[in-house]
mmCIF file of all heavy atoms in Angstrom:
data_model
loop_
_atom_site.group_PDB
_atom_site.id
_atom_site.type_symbol
_atom_site.label_atom_id
_atom_site.label_comp_id
_atom_site.label_asym_id
_atom_site.label_seq_id
_atom_site.Cartn_x
_atom_site.Cartn_y
_atom_site.Cartn_z
ATOM 1 N N ASN A 358 4.470 -4.214 -42.034
ATOM 2 C CA ASN A 358 3.103 -4.749 -41.929
ATOM 3 C C ASN A 358 2.838 -5.208 -40.493
ATOM 4 O O ASN A 358 3.743 -5.220 -39.642
ATOM 5 C CB ASN A 358 2.865 -5.847 -42.952
ATOM 6 C CG ASN A 358 3.795 -7.051 -42.736
ATOM 7 O OD1 ASN A 358 4.033 -7.502 -41.626
ATOM 8 N ND2 ASN A 358 4.344 -7.570 -43.840
ATOM 9 N N ARG A 360 2.310 -8.130 -39.224
ATOM 10 C CA ARG A 360 3.068 -9.308 -38.771
ATOM 11 C C ARG A 360 4.479 -8.887 -38.341
ATOM 12 O O ARG A 360 5.003 -9.339 -37.305
ATOM 13 C CB ARG A 360 3.154 -10.330 -39.903
ATOM 14 C CG ARG A 360 1.831 -10.900 -40.365
ATOM 15 C CD ARG A 360 2.049 -11.975 -41.443
ATOM 16 N NE ARG A 360 2.779 -11.424 -42.613
ATOM 17 C CZ ARG A 360 2.212 -10.771 -43.629
ATOM 18 N NH1 ARG A 360 0.902 -10.547 -43.599
ATOM 19 N NH2 ARG A 360 2.947 -10.346 -44.635
ATOM 20 N N GLY A 378 13.811 -17.980 -35.326
ATOM 21 C CA GLY A 378 13.956 -18.680 -36.588
ATOM 22 C C GLY A 378 12.711 -18.520 -37.433
ATOM 23 O O GLY A 378 11.671 -18.051 -36.976
ATOM 24 N N ARG A 379 12.828 -18.905 -38.696
ATOM 25 C CA ARG A 379 11.691 -18.739 -39.611
ATOM 26 C C ARG A 379 10.478 -19.537 -39.165
ATOM 27 O O ARG A 379 9.332 -19.028 -39.230
ATOM 28 C CB ARG A 379 12.091 -19.116 -41.028
ATOM 29 C CG ARG A 379 11.022 -18.730 -42.074
ATOM 30 C CD ARG A 379 11.602 -18.777 -43.452
ATOM 31 N NE ARG A 379 11.678 -20.116 -43.967
ATOM 32 C CZ ARG A 379 12.289 -20.469 -45.104
ATOM 33 N NH1 ARG A 379 12.916 -19.550 -45.809
ATOM 34 N NH2 ARG A 379 12.302 -21.734 -45.515
ATOM 35 N N ALA A 380 10.666 -20.750 -38.699
ATOM 36 C CA ALA A 380 9.542 -21.595 -38.281
ATOM 37 C C ALA A 380 8.856 -20.978 -37.038
ATOM 38 O O ALA A 380 7.611 -20.976 -36.966
ATOM 39 C CB ALA A 380 9.996 -23.003 -37.965
ATOM 40 N N GLU A 381 9.646 -20.454 -36.136
ATOM 41 C CA GLU A 381 9.073 -19.787 -34.954
ATOM 42 C C GLU A 381 8.247 -18.551 -35.360
ATOM 43 O O GLU A 381 7.173 -18.310 -34.834
ATOM 44 C CB GLU A 381 10.162 -19.367 -33.974
ATOM 45 C CG GLU A 381 10.940 -20.499 -33.364
ATOM 46 C CD GLU A 381 12.123 -20.003 -32.568
ATOM 47 O OE1 GLU A 381 11.912 -19.396 -31.494
ATOM 48 O OE2 GLU A 381 13.282 -20.151 -33.038
ATOM 49 N N TYR A 382 8.792 -17.779 -36.295
ATOM 50 C CA TYR A 382 8.092 -16.584 -36.760
ATOM 51 C C TYR A 382 6.791 -16.979 -37.432
ATOM 52 O O TYR A 382 5.741 -16.356 -37.225
ATOM 53 C CB TYR A 382 8.968 -15.796 -37.705
ATOM 54 C CG TYR A 382 8.269 -14.636 -38.357
ATOM 55 C CD1 TYR A 382 7.731 -13.593 -37.592
ATOM 56 C CD2 TYR A 382 8.100 -14.571 -39.750
ATOM 57 C CE1 TYR A 382 7.067 -12.521 -38.201
ATOM 58 C CE2 TYR A 382 7.429 -13.527 -40.359
ATOM 59 C CZ TYR A 382 6.920 -12.505 -39.571
ATOM 60 O OH TYR A 382 6.253 -11.457 -40.159
ATOM 61 N N ARG A 383 6.837 -18.014 -38.236
ATOM 62 C CA ARG A 383 5.637 -18.461 -38.933
ATOM 63 C C ARG A 383 4.554 -18.835 -37.938
ATOM 64 O O ARG A 383 3.376 -18.503 -38.117
ATOM 65 C CB ARG A 383 5.998 -19.673 -39.805
ATOM 66 C CG ARG A 383 4.842 -20.159 -40.699
ATOM 67 C CD ARG A 383 5.304 -21.308 -41.589
ATOM 68 N NE ARG A 383 5.578 -22.512 -40.804
ATOM 69 C CZ ARG A 383 6.741 -23.154 -40.779
ATOM 70 N NH1 ARG A 383 7.749 -22.726 -41.515
ATOM 71 N NH2 ARG A 383 6.884 -24.225 -40.040
ATOM 72 N N ALA A 384 4.919 -19.524 -36.856
ATOM 73 C CA ALA A 384 3.951 -19.917 -35.858
ATOM 74 C C ALA A 384 3.466 -18.698 -35.052
ATOM 75 O O ALA A 384 2.301 -18.604 -34.676
ATOM 76 C CB ALA A 384 4.553 -20.922 -34.877
ATOM 77 N N LEU A 385 4.354 -17.764 -34.815
ATOM 78 C CA LEU A 385 4.010 -16.571 -34.020
ATOM 79 C C LEU A 385 2.904 -15.760 -34.674
ATOM 80 O O LEU A 385 1.947 -15.349 -34.023
ATOM 81 C CB LEU A 385 5.241 -15.705 -33.809
ATOM 82 C CG LEU A 385 5.023 -14.342 -33.120
ATOM 83 C CD1 LEU A 385 4.652 -14.542 -31.653
ATOM 84 C CD2 LEU A 385 6.248 -13.446 -33.258
ATOM 85 N N VAL A 386 3.055 -15.541 -35.988
ATOM 86 C CA VAL A 386 2.093 -14.667 -36.672
ATOM 87 C C VAL A 386 1.088 -15.448 -37.507
ATOM 88 O O VAL A 386 0.247 -14.869 -38.227
ATOM 89 C CB VAL A 386 2.826 -13.644 -37.583
ATOM 90 C CG1 VAL A 386 3.719 -12.757 -36.734
ATOM 91 C CG2 VAL A 386 3.654 -14.340 -38.653
ATOM 92 N N GLU A 387 1.190 -16.783 -37.453
ATOM 93 C CA GLU A 387 0.233 -17.668 -38.132
ATOM 94 C C GLU A 387 0.141 -17.358 -39.610
ATOM 95 O O GLU A 387 -0.905 -16.959 -40.134
ATOM 96 C CB GLU A 387 -1.163 -17.538 -37.463
ATOM 97 C CG GLU A 387 -1.161 -17.948 -36.006
ATOM 98 C CD GLU A 387 -2.496 -17.775 -35.354
ATOM 99 O OE1 GLU A 387 -3.419 -17.249 -36.014
ATOM 100 O OE2 GLU A 387 -2.652 -18.156 -34.187
ATOM 101 N N THR A 388 1.268 -17.538 -40.297
ATOM 102 C CA THR A 388 1.296 -17.302 -41.740
ATOM 103 C C THR A 388 1.967 -18.462 -42.437
ATOM 104 O O THR A 388 2.385 -19.436 -41.810
ATOM 105 C CB THR A 388 2.043 -15.977 -42.040
ATOM 106 O OG1 THR A 388 1.853 -15.628 -43.393
ATOM 107 C CG2 THR A 388 3.531 -16.100 -41.726
ATOM 108 N N SER A 389 2.073 -18.387 -43.732
ATOM 109 C CA SER A 389 2.694 -19.465 -44.530
ATOM 110 C C SER A 389 4.211 -19.313 -44.529
ATOM 111 O O SER A 389 4.755 -18.244 -44.201
ATOM 112 C CB SER A 389 2.169 -19.416 -45.964
ATOM 113 O OG SER A 389 2.594 -18.217 -46.611
ATOM 114 N N ASP A 390 4.901 -20.364 -44.940
ATOM 115 C CA ASP A 390 6.345 -20.336 -44.958
ATOM 116 C C ASP A 390 6.878 -19.319 -45.997
ATOM 117 O O ASP A 390 7.808 -18.549 -45.670
ATOM 118 C CB ASP A 390 6.925 -21.727 -45.249
ATOM 119 C CG ASP A 390 8.415 -21.799 -45.003
ATOM 120 O OD1 ASP A 390 8.801 -21.650 -43.828
ATOM 121 O OD2 ASP A 390 9.154 -21.982 -45.960
ATOM 122 N N PRO A 391 6.343 -19.245 -47.207
ATOM 123 C CA PRO A 391 6.847 -18.261 -48.164
ATOM 124 C C PRO A 391 6.648 -16.821 -47.656
ATOM 125 O O PRO A 391 7.513 -15.944 -47.808
ATOM 126 C CB PRO A 391 6.019 -18.527 -49.421
ATOM 127 C CG PRO A 391 5.617 -19.942 -49.322
ATOM 128 C CD PRO A 391 5.401 -20.188 -47.868
ATOM 129 N N THR A 392 5.488 -16.555 -47.016
ATOM 130 C CA THR A 392 5.256 -15.225 -46.501
ATOM 131 C C THR A 392 6.218 -14.891 -45.385
ATOM 132 O O THR A 392 6.751 -13.784 -45.263
ATOM 133 C CB THR A 392 3.790 -15.084 -45.990
ATOM 134 O OG1 THR A 392 2.887 -15.310 -47.086
ATOM 135 C CG2 THR A 392 3.547 -13.675 -45.417
ATOM 136 N N ALA A 393 6.465 -15.854 -44.497
ATOM 137 C CA ALA A 393 7.419 -15.676 -43.397
ATOM 138 C C ALA A 393 8.807 -15.353 -43.959
ATOM 139 O O ALA A 393 9.500 -14.455 -43.483
ATOM 140 C CB ALA A 393 7.486 -16.892 -42.507
ATOM 141 N N ALA A 394 9.210 -16.094 -45.010
ATOM 142 C CA ALA A 394 10.535 -15.862 -45.614
ATOM 143 C C ALA A 394 10.623 -14.431 -46.178
ATOM 144 O O ALA A 394 11.623 -13.737 -46.022
ATOM 145 C CB ALA A 394 10.796 -16.888 -46.684
ATOM 146 N N ARG A 395 9.543 -13.989 -46.865
ATOM 147 C CA ARG A 395 9.564 -12.641 -47.440
ATOM 148 C C ARG A 395 9.604 -11.569 -46.351
ATOM 149 O O ARG A 395 10.344 -10.589 -46.458
ATOM 150 C CB ARG A 395 8.305 -12.446 -48.315
ATOM 151 C CG ARG A 395 8.391 -13.144 -49.685
ATOM 152 C CD ARG A 395 7.303 -12.617 -50.618
ATOM 153 N NE ARG A 395 5.970 -12.831 -50.086
ATOM 154 C CZ ARG A 395 5.246 -13.936 -50.290
ATOM 155 N NH1 ARG A 395 5.763 -14.922 -51.008
ATOM 156 N NH2 ARG A 395 4.030 -14.066 -49.781
ATOM 157 N N ASP A 396 8.807 -11.769 -45.295
ATOM 158 C CA ASP A 396 8.805 -10.784 -44.208
ATOM 159 C C ASP A 396 10.189 -10.641 -43.582
ATOM 160 O O ASP A 396 10.657 -9.518 -43.342
ATOM 161 C CB ASP A 396 7.821 -11.222 -43.125
ATOM 162 C CG ASP A 396 6.362 -10.924 -43.492
ATOM 163 O OD1 ASP A 396 6.160 -10.233 -44.496
ATOM 164 O OD2 ASP A 396 5.468 -11.395 -42.763
ATOM 165 N N LEU A 397 10.846 -11.755 -43.307
ATOM 166 C CA LEU A 397 12.148 -11.706 -42.658
ATOM 167 C C LEU A 397 13.216 -11.104 -43.570
ATOM 168 O O LEU A 397 14.073 -10.358 -43.115
ATOM 169 C CB LEU A 397 12.551 -13.123 -42.197
ATOM 170 C CG LEU A 397 11.690 -13.699 -41.066
ATOM 171 C CD1 LEU A 397 11.991 -15.175 -40.859
ATOM 172 C CD2 LEU A 397 11.906 -12.933 -39.773
ATOM 173 N N ALA A 398 13.162 -11.460 -44.845
ATOM 174 C CA ALA A 398 14.115 -10.879 -45.794
ATOM 175 C C ALA A 398 13.908 -9.373 -45.914
ATOM 176 O O ALA A 398 14.880 -8.597 -45.982
ATOM 177 C CB ALA A 398 13.959 -11.542 -47.154
#
Side-chain angles (χ1 to χ4, degrees):
N358 61 44
R360 298 183 303 275
R379 190 165 79 190
E381 295 172 70
Y382 173 62
R383 186 177 68 237
L385 174 70
V386 299
E387 300 178 355
T388 191
S389 64
D390 192 65
T392 299
R395 284 194 300 271
D396 282 350
L397 292 170

